[in-house]
Amino acid sequence: MNADRPRQDERFMRLAVALGERNLGLTWPNPSVGSVVVDESGEAPIIIAQGATQPGGRPHAERVALAAAGERAKGATLYVSLEPCSHHGRTPPCADAVVEAGIARVVSAIEDPDARVAGLGHARLRAAGMEVVTGCLQSLARRAHRGHITRVTKGRPFVTVKLARTTEGLAGSRQGPRLMITGEIANAKVHLMRAHADAVMVGVGTVLADDPLLNVRLPGLESHSPIRIVLDTHLRTPPVSRLVTGARDIPTWIVTTIEAPIAAEHALVAQGVEVLRVSADEAGHVSLPHTLQLLGTRGLTRVFCEGGPGLADALAQADLIDELILITGRSARGQGDVPALGLALQDRMDALDLYADEQVGPDLFMFWEKP
């Protein structure tokens, strides 16, 4: 065995994971997988082809890379960030395509927890006589595929909550103008996070207070704007709001309760909004567990919540926060009276692990996740 092979495997797997991450937000309900075909027959390995799952979820990364490699795939090594599928969907199994291409060795980061796969893809490859190596950079790949993993194991999308706070720990004001907490560089990073989400979610209070667009405004990535979701118990979203008037350009879903007024729904639907109804919780509000289960059935894997402290606290109360991104910006200098962290979220912080922090211009990003 080549002594450098484990390090070499990690090198190419890191590339495969990065390739898949480029299309996050574009491939749901399928995971965004990355794949690399490498010729290891010479003195030094040579990348023959690479691929990523395409927008809409088809074709899969393996098929993209193998098609680009052509006959050169025979005897090569395939690196893939998630186990090749083994079931028939709209296309034949990727495991079969790998076998047909004549690949000699497969390095797969993690097993796919989807019950239709769950080790069967690896078994199919081994049965064809291939060397199959699993677990290479599995932690990195698991984080990249956490939306897919959450949906197939819990029936709901992975939920990331983003909150911005001043150095005093405040997120806004109950009265007065909106606090401008973060700088231009941090705001651009948040837009990139939106571009990698399947949907961005807020409560109706944010819509009424800020009339946001919730789109991606980075040059060249405008078409990557995710679905916009508003949680609105009584359908108070104004038909003249920017979310509603732009609903024919960017899909916009409003989740409300069964009891919400039908006339308000008709006015929103006439503008291109899709209204989804779920049961109410004990307080009469939109049930968050039921909402996320519904979004899971619609194929969403990653939801980016920008709904402010109220919605963040409600998600924490329901134990539905998978990742928390807390951005600390400038001082409020006597302004603001809304704490960024509500009581429920403060209680849940002990159950989250701080896994990264990053200085972005003058602002500090801190990332927590469920262990």
Side-chain angles (χ1 to χ4, degrees):
M1 176 180 174
N2 185 343
D4 291 332
R5 176 161 270 183
R7 186 181 304 171
Q8 179 175 298
D9 284 348
E10 289 190 2
R11 171 188 166 197
F12 291 122
M13 183 59 73
R14 199 173 298 278
L15 173 59
V17 172
L19 288 168
E21 287 179 327
R22 291 180 185 178
N23 283 347
L24 285 174
L26 302 177
T27 67
W28 62 274
N30 290 342
S32 187
V33 179
S35 184
V36 183
V37 181
V38 178
D39 180 355
E40 297 182 310
S41 62
E43 292 185 3
I46 300 173
I47 295 176
I48 300 171
Q50 56 191 37
T53 305
Q54 294 301 289
R58 292 289 192 281
H60 289 181
E62 301 95 317
R63 289 184 176 274
V64 174
L66 292 173
E71 290 297 315
R72 298 181 69 192
K74 291 182 179 179
T77 295
L78 174 73
Y79 293 85
V80 61
S81 65
L82 183 70
E83 177 183 10
C85 64
S86 56
H87 62 286
H88 282 267
R90 284 181 288 171
T91 57
C94 286
D96 289 354
V98 175
V99 173
E100 292 164 6
I103 290 289
R105 179 172 179 262
V106 174
V107 181
S108 172
I110 55 175
E111 182 177 295
D112 189 342
D114 189 326
R116 298 170 298 176
V117 187
L120 297 177
H122 291 153
R124 171 75 179 92
L125 301 177
R126 289 190 176 102
M130 292 182 198
E131 178 188 354
V132 178
V133 179
T134 62
C136 180
L137 293 185
Q138 58 183 326
S139 295
L140 185 68
R142 190 169 288 112
R143 179 167 286 135
H145 293 300
R146 56 193 179 179
H148 169 69
I149 293 169
T150 302
R151 179 173 176 264
V152 300
T153 60
K154 298 182 179 180
R156 65 168 178 83
F158 183 93
V159 177
T160 295
V161 169
K162 184 273 294 182
L163 289 170
R165 64 178 177 179
T166 67
T167 54
E168 297 84 4
L170 302 173
S173 299
R174 292 183 177 86
Q175 303 292 332
R178 177 186 177 190
L179 290 184
M180 304 305 293
I181 298 172
T182 53
E184 201 171 310
I185 303 174
N187 292 342
K189 184 175 179 66
V190 170
H191 276 259
L192 185 59
M193 292 175 179
R194 284 183 188 173
H196 285 164
D198 301 344
V200 57
M201 184 171 73
V202 299
V204 67
T206 296
V207 177
L208 295 174
D210 300 334
D211 192 20
L213 283 169
L214 300 180
N215 59 355
V216 175
R217 297 190 290 278
L218 295 175
L221 291 180
E222 295 87 352
S223 63
H224 288 224
S225 293
I227 288 174
R228 304 177 299 187
I229 298 174
V230 181
L231 305 185
D232 185 356
T233 297
H234 303 293
L235 285 183
R236 295 186 294 148
T237 300
V240 295
S241 65
R242 295 195 292 178
L243 288 177
V244 174
T245 58
R248 298 193 190 281
D249 298 318
I250 303 174
T252 303
W253 301 351
I254 296 182
V255 183
T256 190
T257 58
I258 297 169
E259 295 80 11
I262 191 68
E265 177 180 346
H266 288 164
L268 294 167
V269 170
Q271 297 263 49
V273 171
E274 185 170 359
V275 175
L276 309 176
R277 292 179 181 260
V278 297
S279 59
D281 60 20
E282 293 180 355
H285 301 141
V286 167
S287 167
L288 293 175
H290 291 170
T291 294
L292 289 171
Q293 288 291 320
L294 176 59
L295 298 181
T297 65
R298 299 293 296 265
L300 296 185
T301 67
R302 299 162 62 95
V303 169
F304 189 56
C305 178
E306 297 190 69
L311 180 53
D313 213 48
L315 288 165
Q317 183 68 43
D319 193 22
L320 291 171
I321 297 179
D322 299 300
E323 179 185 41
L324 171 66
I325 302 173
L326 191 58
I327 311 170
T328 303
R330 67 175 182 83
S331 168
R333 297 178 183 176
Q335 297 178 306
D337 55 8
V338 179
L341 303 181
L343 295 178
L345 183 51
Q346 290 181 47
D347 289 341
R348 291 287 181 187
M349 291 292 287
D350 289 341
L352 300 175
D353 291 339
L354 178 66
Y355 73 89
D357 58 67
E358 180 182 358
Q359 193 73 37
V360 181
D363 304 313
L364 176 64
F365 282 64
M366 301 181 77
F367 301 82
W368 281 268
E369 66 180 356
K370 282 184 177 177

